[in-house]
Amino acid sequence: ETGVTQSPTHLIKTRGQQVTLRCSSQSGHNTVSWYQQALGQGPQFIFQYYREEENGRGNFPPRFSGLQFPNYSSELNVNALELDDSALYLCASSLDTGGRNEQFFGPGTRLTVL
Amino acid sequence: KNEVEQSPQNLTAQEGEFITINCSYSVGISALHWLQQHPGGGIVSLFMLSSGKKKHGRLIATINIQEKHSSLHITASHPRDSAVYICAVRSGHKLIFGTGTRLQVFP
């Protein structure tokens, strides 16, 4: 077990709704990254937060937003949900931003948009 | 063309067989990761490499920076090795993932 937790485990929403996913980082880790994994695909980088600031973003629209809190837990918010947002959302925590340390993944939140 | 390509996409083996999964990438990287994903989604980091070779138990990972290629080997495969194995490269702030290799090991 990595020490990274995510909630909820599963979630069903309808198109147009908003959703908040939560991630609790491994103790002492100051960096969190969020990924979207569609069925049968590899994860896609959404964004990374370092010390409460967004520190890099993938090809995702602004309706995907995030927050990182002083205790390094974080949230992923998705507004105006679309059917294609159905996926497994993974967060991963690490100790720095330079890629010199491993990322530890949470178990994921499976989001279904109907 | 994907920036990270894995082969094969699917792999079936008998218990005890030696397994190789390949990963090629086309971007500059600072590190390459091999990850294991079980049904249900949880991802476990197996290796992080920037050069050479690493070994952990029955798993061996190699990387050739000049060739932009990495391999993951499993010796004496076991049914509990059945999972999806994903190669991911660190490029700047982000990890770029391959689509994974689904491995099934039968007794």
Side-chain angles (χ1 to χ4, degrees), chain A residues 2 33 35 37 40-45 48 55-56 88 90 97-103 105-107 110, chain B residues 30-31 33 35 37 40-48 86 90 92-100 102:
Chain A
T2 64
S33 302
Y35 301 91
Q37 186 177 23
Q41 303 294 316
Q44 299 286 321
F45 175 72
Q48 182 184 84
N55 191 42
L88 180 70
L90 296 158
T97 62
R100 292 181 294 278
N101 292 315
E102 280 185 68
Q103 291 201 336
F105 287 83
R110 189 164 297 282
Chain B
S30 56
H33 299 251
L35 308 164
Q37 187 170 32
I43 289 181
V44 174
S45 178
L46 299 174
F47 294 104
M48 185 175 70
I86 303 173
R90 165 75 62 180
H93 293 296
K94 62 182 182 178
L95 281 179
I96 306 170
F97 294 77
T99 53
R102 184 174 298 278

Side-chain angles (χ1 to χ4, degrees), chain A residues 10-110:
Chain A
H10 296 86
L11 198 51
I12 298 174
K13 291 284 190 178
T14 55
R15 199 168 44 179
Q17 285 189 309
Q18 179 266 342
V19 70
T20 296
L21 310 181
R22 294 181 174 83
C23 173
S24 178
S25 299
Q26 181 149 323
S27 178
H29 283 185
N30 55 15
T31 303
V32 66
S33 302
W34 284 91
Y35 301 91
Q36 180 195 65
Q37 186 177 23
L39 201 60
Q41 303 294 316
Q44 299 286 321
F45 175 72
I46 303 174
F47 44 55
Q48 182 184 84
Y49 275 79
Y50 171 67
R51 294 187 175 177
E52 303 174 56
E53 298 284 333
E54 188 179 294
N55 191 42
R57 190 177 183 93
N59 293 327
F60 281 81
R63 59 189 185 84
F64 285 78
S65 63
L67 280 174
Q68 188 183 29
F69 300 101
N71 66 355
Y72 301 138
S73 65
S74 68
E75 290 181 353
L76 164 65
N77 298 289
V78 187
N79 293 321
L81 283 167
E82 301 177 0
L83 297 179
D84 284 350
D85 296 334
S86 295
L88 180 70
Y89 289 85
L90 296 158
C91 74
S93 74
S94 59
L95 196 50
D96 73 351
T97 62
R100 292 181 294 278
N101 292 315
E102 280 185 68
Q103 291 201 336
F104 294 84
F105 287 83
T109 293
R110 189 164 297 282

